[in-house]
Amino acid sequence: MSACNFTHTTFVLIGIPGLEEAHFWIGFPLLSMYAVAVFGNCIVVFIVRVERSLHVPMYLFLCMLAAIDLALSTATMPKILALFWFDSREITFDACMTQMFFIHALSAIESTILLAMAFDRYIAICHPLRHAAVLNNRVTAQIGMVAVARGSLFFIPLPLLIKRLAFCQSNVLSHSYCVHQDVMKLAYADTLPNVVYGLTAILVVMGVDALFISLSYFLILRTVLQLPSKSERAKAFGTCVSHIGVVLAFYVPLIGLSVVHRFGNSLDPTVHVLMGDVYLILPPVINPIIYGVKTKQIRTRALAVFKISCDKDFPAVGGR
């Protein structure tokens, strides 16, 4: 390997290969999804904050999840929209490293919160009499702080490992944003430490979380099937439906993107881009919709907010 006498100060992001001429119009659906993500998650945070009856672990964890989705969307979507609308493809090295950290750290924090929500459902269904003692608001806040610390500490080494590498060949990434696997592939150096640490961090955080979430639902299912009546079984498991949907929306695209990065070198570049966009955009959009549709307390309060807003904007004629 010859010496690398310079390194890139910027990277080039791509949109959807082969559809460059349609990028301007594709930006509008992306903006709509971003608006849904921001509005939906803001509504969830607002409702949980102002409704004191929802100050219980299940909804406090949901509020944390919504805040994480807001941060994740805001860390990526403005630059993606600039790419599609204004052909702003370049991103500086430091901005790329910052975005990379937030994407990976926030994903890890979200994974930890999903595990905490699974644990909450396990205690509520399998040990209901101990729920208030095991999971009170103080413990819930501590779990949130641990989630933030865990995600940050495990993934802050990724940009530091990238900064030690030299980049003096291609600087064109295969996504519309910066992720560790994508940037690492462009390096003109030994990336084995990056591969080992990146894989270890993913397995220790997301892998362990997925394992314990699966274990929680195995124990929940065993307990539910032991309930005497069909209505009790349906009611108990019904409290988990929203969380299961959110878990699938998070882990299925994550696993798919990981498989594509590891084994999809022969696939069309469009597959890489679409899988990456689904992983990044889908959870923040779909999470508030799932909980808004399936959770009566959230749905009722949201409808009340809309009704008050409509009454203020369009008062009845003659005061009626």
Side-chain angles (χ1 to χ4, degrees), residues 207-277:
V208 169
D209 290 349
L211 178 64
F212 279 105
I213 289 172
S214 301
L215 177 61
S216 297
Y217 275 104
F218 170 76
L219 297 174
I220 288 171
L221 184 61
R222 188 179 66 175
T223 300
V224 168
L225 292 177
Q226 293 174 350
L227 295 176
S229 70
K230 184 177 179 179
S231 61
E232 289 180 341
R233 291 194 293 269
K235 182 178 179 181
F237 200 72
T239 63
C240 303
V241 171
S242 297
H243 181 252
I244 292 173
V246 169
V247 167
L248 292 175
F250 177 81
Y251 279 102
V252 171
L254 173 63
I255 294 170
L257 182 62
S258 299
V259 170
V260 166
H261 272 298
R262 302 299 178 195
F263 309 108
N265 293 330
S266 61
L267 294 176
D268 189 288
T270 305
V271 176
H272 289 255
V273 174
L274 293 178
M275 285 298 300
D277 289 346

Side-chain angles (χ1 to χ4, degrees), residues 72 75 94-109 148-160 178-180:
L72 186 59
D94 289 338
C96 187
M97 295 300 100
T98 302
Q99 189 183 69
M100 175 196 301
F101 167 72
F102 278 111
I103 289 174
H104 289 291
L106 289 169
S107 296
I109 296 168
V148 173
R150 182 176 182 239
S152 301
L153 291 175
F154 266 100
F155 287 95
I156 200 169
L158 292 187
L160 301 178
C178 295
V179 287
H180 178 252

Side-chain angles (χ1 to χ4, degrees), residues 83-229:
L83 187 159
F84 277 85
W85 277 344
F86 308 111
D87 200 34
S88 177
R89 296 176 178 270
E90 289 194 347
I91 182 170
T92 65
F93 188 92
D94 289 338
C96 187
M97 295 300 100
T98 302
Q99 189 183 69
M100 175 196 301
F101 167 72
F102 278 111
I103 289 174
H104 289 291
L106 289 169
S107 296
I109 296 168
E110 181 158 345
S111 177
T112 306
I113 295 300
L114 290 175
L115 173 59
M117 296 172 80
F119 179 68
D120 171 70
R121 292 299 85 208
Y122 163 72
I123 296 295
I125 293 173
C126 300
H127 305 283
L129 298 180
R130 298 176 56 190
H131 185 268
V134 174
L135 269 180
N136 52 47
N137 289 352
R138 178 170 170 271
V139 173
T140 301
Q142 290 173 341
I143 291 174
M145 290 186 289
V146 168
V148 173
R150 182 176 182 239
S152 301
L153 291 175
F154 266 100
F155 287 95
I156 200 169
L158 292 187
L160 301 178
L161 287 170
I162 290 291
K163 283 191 173 184
R164 73 180 183 84
L165 302 175
F167 297 87
C168 53
Q169 295 184 12
S170 173
N171 67 335
V172 181
L173 299 172
S174 58
H175 289 296
S176 305
Y177 50 87
C178 295
V179 287
H180 178 252
Q181 306 96 311
D182 198 16
V183 177
M184 177 187 67
K185 289 180 180 180
L186 300 180
Y188 192 76
D190 179 19
T191 59
L192 182 61
N194 296 71
V195 173
V196 172
Y197 186 83
L199 184 60
T200 301
I202 291 289
L203 291 176
V204 170
V205 179
M206 280 77 157
V208 169
D209 290 349
L211 178 64
F212 279 105
I213 289 172
S214 301
L215 177 61
S216 297
Y217 275 104
F218 170 76
L219 297 174
I220 288 171
L221 184 61
R222 188 179 66 175
T223 300
V224 168
L225 292 177
Q226 293 174 350
L227 295 176
S229 70

